[in-house]
Amino acid sequence: GMNMTFSTTGCGACVDNNYCDAAGDDASLEWLESVTVGTIGNTSGNDGGYADFTSFSTDLEMGQVYDITLTPGYLGQPYSEQFIVWIDFNQDGDFDDADEQLYDSGLVDAQVVGEISIPTDILEGGTRMRISMKYNGAPTSCENPFDYGEVEDYCVNILPATTAPCNTPTDVSASNITE
């Protein structure tokens, strides 16, 4: 038979690895309302403490910095929440390696815009991004369950750094040409 390889954004380690479970136990009062990063713009509302959005994917290029917008949702009054974002850069099925925690909001009660920096010495291809929002404290990547809040998983497709092409010079002139 013919051997064919298909490369689909968002597959690979993101869905093949057996990641730990992380979830909020109670998302009735506060939840992760929306996530925006790269081409992902997902307003999901209350998903009951955990949602698998690995069908969503965006390209992230090595050496680049991306804004990530995280919005909490509340049933009533705002509460103090902490967002943490991880990406499994070495595709080993966990978020425990030194460079894999990318953003920590500290305690907030409204939308935050953070920055995630993509290293250059990582594996290309599909891998998982985990975003956790926990009430009044820092979540760990495998906390299951924590009391209040929500976790969402996404796929990201890591691309090699592009080198800027050399531009053709314009407005070139020569003057005072002598023998």
Side-chain angles (χ1 to χ4, degrees), residues 24 29 90 114 122:
L29 298 177
N90 64 354
I122 57 175

Side-chain angles (χ1 to χ4, degrees), residues 70-74 78-81 83 105 107-113:
L70 303 169
T71 308
Y74 300 109
Y79 295 97
S80 182
E81 312 293 343
F83 292 96
S105 67
L107 292 175
V108 297
D109 66 0
Q111 183 180 84
V112 290
V113 180

Side-chain angles (χ1 to χ4, degrees), residues 114-144:
E115 287 188 343
I116 59 172
S117 295
I118 310 305
T120 52
D121 54 342
I122 57 175
L123 293 177
E124 290 178 41
T127 192
R128 188 168 296 209
M129 173 174 66
R130 174 162 289 173
I131 302 168
S132 185
M133 184 196 95
K134 180 182 175 180
Y135 167 68
N136 211 29
T140 62
S141 63
C142 290
E143 199 167 350
N144 182 39

Side-chain angles (χ1 to χ4, degrees), residues 31-47 51-53 56-58 60 66-73 83-87 103 111-114 116 129-133 150-156:
W31 57 86
L32 184 44
E33 176 72 17
S34 71
V35 172
T36 304
V37 60
T39 57
I40 294 171
N42 185 31
T43 299
S44 60
N46 183 344
D47 303 302
D52 181 342
F53 289 118
F56 287 72
S57 183
T58 189
L60 299 177
Y66 296 88
D67 283 346
I68 185 165
T69 304
L70 303 169
T71 308
F83 292 96
I84 297 187
V85 177
W86 299 268
I87 295 177
Y103 176 69
Q111 183 180 84
V112 290
V113 180
I116 59 172
M129 173 174 66
R130 174 162 289 173
I131 302 168
S132 185
M133 184 196 95
E150 196 159 70
V151 178
E152 293 181 359
D153 283 350
Y154 293 86
C155 288
V156 294

